[in-house]
Amino acid sequence: MKHKSLLLAAAASTALFSTTAIAQNEDLAAAPCEGCAEEMTIVSWGGAYQESQLKAYVEPYVAATGVKVSFDESSAEATAKLRAMNEAGNVTWDVVDVVASDAIRLCDEGLAAELDPATDLANAPDGTSAEDDFGNLRVNECFVPQIVYSTTIGYRTDKVGDTPPTEICDIFDTTKFPGKRALQKRPIDNLEWATYCNGTAKDKIYEVLSTEEGVQAAFDKLSTIKDDVVWWTAGAETPQLLADGEVVMGSTFNGRLFSAIVEQDQPIDMMWDMQSFDLDGWILPAGLDEARMKRAKHFLKFATDTQRLADQAKYISYGPARKSSAPLVGKHEALGIDMAPHMPTDPANAGNVHNYDYTWWADNRDDLDAKFQSWLAQ
Amino acid sequence: MSSSETMSVEEQLAAGQTEDGIVRAADGTPLKARLAKALRREKLRSFLMISPLLLFIVLSFLMPIGDMLLRSVENKIVQNTLPTVVQELERWDPASEELPDEATFAALATDLKIAVKERIHTRLGSRLNYEQSGFSGLFRSTGRAVRKMEEGPYKEQFIKADEDWGKLQTWVVLDSFKAPYTAGYFLNAVDAENTVDGVQMKAENERIYIQLFIRTMWMSLAITFMCLLLGYPVAYLLAHLPARTSNMLMILVLLPFWTSLLVRTSAWKVLLQGQGVINDLLVWVGFVDDADRLVLINNQTGTIIAMTHILLPFMILPLYSVMKTISPTYVRAAKSMGANDWTSFWKVYFPQSVPGIGAGAILVFILAIGYYITPALVGGTSGIFISNRIAFHISTSLNWGLAAALGAILLVLVLLLFYVYDKIVGIDNVKLG
């Protein structure tokens, strides 16, 4: 508590910098940062997602501290690049945005720094500790989640007849929904969906997939639609394939579908059944010198506080990773529509959710990926 | 040394012969020594002139490649992380089908405690996970447990922490990867693995790389052949039309060459897809049924079409520059002696253009073999190359050892083909103009 009041005092004394933030929350950006570097490089994904980060907390942070921030749009290759930098002994990144599975790999490889939620992260405004506020979304000691996104199914409203698909197993039903479907070219999600549609209970999916027979059964299920699948690797492909009429349905990230449906007004709709929750968040590279590490942590604490994560949802339809942020989610900045119903975490959408098991996949990914590629090539 | 220089030395020999038989220069030093000195200076100067480039190539090309190739066999991580375990395992015989003794487990505890402190145990876990699923989790969970372990006996404690320590297979994997160098990555790269019973091919449903190597080879050859087929007539026209028309044609060849690779590949997507321009046109004309559109993309056809288009200039330009140097008098002479059009082309013109074909074909083939962006975008599942898997292991799975092994095999295959080409066509018979 002493910690918090200190911060409040700091915030009050520098209220000039950011008046709106103070009204709602303690202003961590204005908290003093002694011996911190004056520059930092943030690594992110580019595009609409990076834009949402820029608007929600990077710009406010720069305004409050005057730190020089540059972006590197390298998140897609972050694991490989970080390892190369680490081996060369010259890490040029300070804060890196990665998905949870990459964070596990980076932490296991010793390439990401371990963080202590008690000191490195901000508590919720009601005093809930950061550890409880993020809950099990903090998949390991290195990872600070920002958003929950989901891989879910979009379909062409004009090509599915009068009865649009309502459940995940409809992707395996080629008689009811003839035509191509787009699926991501990786075993994750696809094997789980196949297992689920083989009649396995949701909480038994990974148990079944841990057996040879279970894996075979999942591939057999996928084989029933193999000739009807267009495999995608970039999130932008499915919305494009849907818009071109190349596929009748396909999996992609919910934010991509949101922009195709709401922002571009395409004849597309989405179903949330068995949407696969995934996380995106920050890690700090291991081995930063003291000044840069201090600056990175100072930024991180601000950027992942309750208000900042809620602000991000104004620009993109991904759910904030903090429980305390959810009630603060407002309207879309440009369109003025309520964002809450478009969040994967909204109760109306989260009726039947698939929780992707990171640690299980960390163990089995190499093996199943080889099997998946071999199956694809057959 | 050229014959003219030899001549001049001989002349000097004749002119400056002295009594002791040694040829001397005006100042009395032996001419041979003077000549050698001059040559040495010449050599040194040439060497100094190329040395910046040489240094650059060594530093930025040869050394990284060497380092990468070394990774395909390097495996010091096991020894560095678990040094005493590796020592203890020397006494253990996997064929005994019994778990290692208590001393080995004690060594494991000692080593792991240090590794956990240095946070390197999970790194070893990810390394061994490439060989067998589960090692990643095994080291992560054991790393947590080992901190709380009590003083000996350790065997039960480890098995309690994670039952995998009680499985023979865990120790077999650890034992077979304890050496500082391993053939494991190369075995993996040819769909084989090291088991208790020696080297064996992997299960049918895990094989992938041999098939990909073969596909990469034949598709690159097919692309090279397509480029030749389409490029030869264009190059011929370029070389033989009047300058004004051929300049126009040249711009048409160069324009796509200057366009971004991604733009061209995306354009092919728009053209080739099911609801794309080509299919729409065919349906409109009535060649194909609307319900039965041609599948031109996300398969091998797509890769071959798009890559042929992208690599075509690399065939046309060397062909053109060689054809430009072929004198028209030969063909005229052949014709004047009664050869018809075909004979004069096939017997006289074509053989002279072979060096261009050689250069173009090698250029296109080598570029094709390493392509991965275009196959990834238009190749679907049946049209991807081995380089796509190399890229995957570099950037996604972080299995750099396997990527290096695959790259090394690809390099050897290319050198092998180069050798075969040299034997059949002759490498001197390649010209870029």
Side-chain angles (χ1 to χ4, degrees):
Chain A
M1 280 326 274
K2 194 181 169 199
H3 185 61
K4 195 176 159 188
S5 56
L6 249 176
L7 283 175
L8 275 170
S13 66
T14 48
L16 274 172
F17 284 109
S18 170
T19 46
T20 50
I22 296 237
Q24 294 147 344
N25 203 352
E26 36 194 279
D27 190 356
L28 292 161
C33 185
E34 267 169 47
C36 294
E38 287 307 308
E39 283 178 342
M40 70 174 171
T41 305
I42 298 177
V43 181
S44 188
W45 300 91
Y49 187 65
Q50 185 172 307
E51 195 63 21
S52 75
Q53 296 176 318
L54 188 72
K55 289 273 167 24
Y57 35 75
V58 177
E59 275 177 0
Y61 186 77
V62 170
T65 59
V67 169
K68 197 167 157 267
V69 170
S70 46
F71 271 100
D72 188 337
E73 300 179 2
S74 295
S75 282
E77 311 91 56
T79 44
K81 285 196 171 172
L82 259 180
R83 188 201 255 188
M85 285 182 186
N86 193 278
E87 284 186 8
N90 182 24
V91 180
T92 58
W93 294 343
D94 299 290
V95 188
V96 186
D97 189 303
V98 288
V99 290
S101 55
D102 283 344
I104 290 180
R105 237 177 243 275
L106 287 167
C107 208
D108 278 355
E109 292 264 339
L111 298 171
E114 283 186 23
L115 299 165
D116 178 5
T119 55
D120 295 332
L121 299 175
N123 290 338
D126 64 2
T128 311
S129 73
E131 192 162 6
D132 293 339
D133 205 14
F134 283 108
N136 60 359
L137 299 186
R138 265 181 75 242
V139 295
N140 62 21
E141 297 81 13
C142 305
F143 185 63
V144 187
Q146 296 161 58
I147 54 126
V148 179
Y149 68 95
S150 81
T151 306
T152 184
I153 305 290
Y155 58 88
R156 277 287 288 242
T157 46
D158 54 343
K159 300 216 171 163
V160 290
D162 300 330
T163 50
T166 49
E167 52 184 66
I168 192 70
C169 298
D170 287 341
I171 59 173
F172 294 101
D173 193 342
T174 45
T175 45
K176 210 161 137 200
F177 303 102
K180 298 256 184 196
R181 39 273 271 139
L183 291 176
Q184 191 172 8
K185 204 188 214 166
R186 62 172 198 175
I188 300 169
D189 295 341
N190 297 325
L191 286 184
E192 286 106 313
W193 285 336
T195 307
Y196 177 71
C197 293
N198 271 338
T200 307
K202 218 165 59 175
D203 55 342
K204 292 275 188 304
I205 289 179
Y206 289 106
E207 210 171 289
V208 169
L209 279 176
S210 297
T211 63
E212 285 281 328
E213 305 78 50
V215 172
Q216 195 50 49
F219 278 122
D220 288 346
K221 184 73 179 175
L222 284 171
S223 294
T224 60
I225 54 164
K226 197 174 177 184
D227 294 337
D228 297 301
V229 175
V230 176
W231 300 98
W232 60 268
T233 46
E237 284 179 68
T238 299
Q240 188 64 49
L241 288 165
L242 282 168
D244 289 351
E246 284 291 299
V247 297
V248 290
M249 56 174 88
S251 69
T252 188
F253 311 129
N254 71 293
R256 299 276 185 181
L257 285 171
F258 172 81
S259 64
I261 298 167
V262 180
E263 291 167 7
Q264 293 158 23
D265 211 13
Q266 297 279 348
I268 299 172
D269 211 338
M270 65 202 286
M271 68 172 183
W272 294 96
D273 186 48
M274 273 300 268
Q275 55 164 321
S276 170
F277 273 178
D278 204 340
L279 300 165
D280 188 86
W282 301 112
I283 59 106
L284 307 185
L288 289 181
D289 66 44
E290 209 189 324
R292 285 172 62 197
M293 184 57 97
K294 272 187 176 167
R295 173 56 70 195
K297 283 186 174 172
H298 188 255
F299 169 76
L300 190 69
K301 194 168 193 170
F302 167 73
T304 57
D305 77 5
T306 301
Q307 186 59 43
R308 256 37 67 178
L309 289 187
D311 284 350
Q312 197 177 353
K314 280 196 273 187
Y315 306 95
I316 199 145
S317 64
Y318 293 128
R322 270 177 183 266
K323 291 188 200 90
S324 59
S325 297
L328 303 175
V329 170
K331 289 185 189 314
H332 189 283
E333 188 68 10
L335 300 172
I337 53 165
D338 246 340
M339 286 303 275
H342 297 282
M343 295 289 156
T345 42
D346 191 70
N349 302 332
N352 188 23
V353 169
H354 163 59
N355 283 307
Y356 154 33
D357 187 336
Y358 303 98
T359 41
W360 189 87
W361 273 109
D363 272 353
N364 294 283
R365 193 167 173 177
D366 296 314
D367 188 36
L368 284 179
D369 189 74
K371 289 201 172 107
F372 181 71
Q373 290 298 332
S374 169
W375 172 81
L376 278 183
Q378 274 161 25
Chain B
M1 199 180 282
S2 72
S3 60
S4 65
E5 274 171 280
T6 338
M7 277 296 292
S8 70
V9 171
E10 274 165 12
E11 277 163 15
Q12 280 175 338
L13 257 172
Q17 195 98 36
T18 48
E19 285 156 22
D20 57 355
I22 296 171
V23 190
R24 289 178 191 284
D27 60 355
T29 49
L31 191 65
K32 218 172 170 182
R34 277 281 294 263
L35 193 65
K37 202 173 158 195
L39 280 175
R40 217 167 30 238
R41 212 178 302 134
E42 187 77 5
K43 270 185 195 156
L44 189 71
R45 201 163 59 200
S46 337
F47 180 76
L48 282 177
M49 278 165 81
I50 64 151
S51 63
L53 179 65
L54 188 71
L55 196 71
F56 176 74
I57 287 179
V58 169
L59 284 180
S60 69
F61 189 69
L62 293 180
M63 277 173 42
I65 289 184
D67 178 60
M68 210 62 210
L69 292 182
L70 198 66
R71 282 172 194 274
S72 62
V73 289
E74 204 247 51
N75 188 44
K76 292 197 183 108
I77 184 163
V78 182
Q79 226 167 49
N80 291 347
T81 319
L82 305 174
T84 31
V85 175
V86 168
Q87 252 169 30
E88 291 289 335
L89 279 178
E90 293 297 337
R91 298 184 291 105
W92 181 62
D93 178 20
S96 69
E97 308 218 345
E98 271 172 39
L99 289 178
D101 55 11
E102 174 60 28
T104 316
F105 277 95
L108 185 64
T110 325
D111 285 346
L112 266 182
K113 275 179 186 159
I114 299 169
V116 168
K117 212 174 276 167
E118 291 172 9
R119 292 199 59 228
I120 52 172
H121 62 295
T122 44
R123 193 179 290 197
L124 178 62
S126 345
R127 158 69 188 96
L128 291 173
N129 205 64
Y130 299 140
E131 310 302 336
Q132 185 171 323
S133 283
F135 262 99
S136 198
L138 175 64
F139 275 83
R140 221 180 291 124
S141 66
T142 317
R144 278 193 293 268
V146 82
R147 278 177 252 188
K148 290 175 242 143
M149 269 186 201
E150 289 158 21
E151 234 4 79
Y154 287 104
K155 196 166 181 170
E156 285 76 38
Q157 293 193 63
F158 270 106
I159 296 174
K160 206 177 136 218
D162 197 315
E163 57 183 16
D164 279 357
W165 289 116
K167 289 182 186 154
L168 189 68
Q169 184 57 23
T170 307
W171 289 96
V172 170
V173 171
L174 209 56
D175 185 60
S176 50
F177 286 94
K178 67 181 185 224
Y181 295 95
T182 174
Y185 292 123
F186 275 99
L187 288 177
N188 219 332
V190 292
D191 297 328
E193 63 189 337
N194 214 343
T195 61
V196 192
D197 311 316
V199 175
Q200 276 178 347
M201 289 304 279
K202 283 194 178 171
E204 198 77 50
N205 67 349
E206 283 176 45
R207 291 183 201 171
I208 163 166
Y209 298 115
I210 290 185
Q211 187 191 2
L212 274 179
F213 274 119
I214 295 172
R215 183 195 292 163
T216 307
M217 288 295 151
W218 84 255
M219 281 183 65
S220 298
L221 282 174
I223 290 160
T224 312
F225 183 72
M226 290 289 290
C227 282
L228 180 62
L229 212 65
L230 297 173
Y232 197 92
V234 179
Y236 186 87
L237 280 179
L238 278 173
H240 297 282
L241 282 179
R244 259 187 55 175
T245 347
S246 73
N247 281 346
M248 192 60 214
L249 257 183
M250 190 54 131
I251 288 175
L252 291 182
V253 172
L254 288 176
L255 217 63
F257 187 54
W258 291 330
T259 314
S260 148
L261 171 80
L262 280 175
V263 171
R264 282 186 285 166
T265 309
S266 312
W268 275 112
K269 267 190 135 157
V270 176
L271 287 172
L272 294 175
Q273 62 187 4
Q275 309 293 322
V277 178
I278 293 176
N279 264 315
D280 279 351
L281 205 68
L282 291 177
V283 169
W284 182 69
V285 174
F287 277 151
V288 290
D289 192 56
D290 195 16
D292 210 19
R293 287 169 177 250
L294 300 179
V295 186
L296 297 169
I297 200 168
N298 296 327
N299 54 17
Q300 298 180 348
T301 321
T303 305
I304 291 181
I305 293 177
M307 280 183 59
T308 301
H309 171 246
I310 286 162
L311 295 174
L312 203 50
F314 293 97
M315 181 64 90
I316 294 177
L317 296 175
L319 271 177
Y320 164 76
S321 60
V322 167
M323 285 175 176
K324 207 68 187 156
T325 63
I326 300 174
S327 165
T329 51
Y330 296 114
V331 174
R332 260 185 252 144
K335 281 188 179 163
S336 75
M337 285 189 265
N340 61 19
D341 282 353
W342 170 250
T343 317
S344 62
F345 168 75
W346 186 245
K347 296 275 182 195
V348 178
Y349 189 88
F350 183 78
Q352 297 187 77
S353 68
V354 164
I357 296 179
I362 288 183
L363 214 57
V364 170
F365 182 77
I366 289 180
L367 284 172
I369 226 171
Y371 250 58
Y372 71 96
I373 298 173
T374 306
L377 289 176
V378 298
T381 57
S382 62
I384 60 158
F385 283 8
I386 191 72
S387 20
N388 294 89
R389 293 311 290 165
I390 298 179
F392 171 83
H393 285 304
I394 289 279
S395 61
T396 309
S397 78
L398 286 193
N399 191 351
W400 289 5
L402 179 57
L406 290 170
I409 294 176
L410 195 59
L411 184 65
V412 168
L413 282 177
V414 171
L415 291 178
L416 211 68
L417 275 171
F418 210 64
Y419 176 78
V420 172
Y421 180 89
D422 184 35
K423 283 286 147 199
I424 299 172
V425 186
I427 217 70
D428 321 334
N429 214 350
V430 167
K431 248 164 63 179
L432 280 165

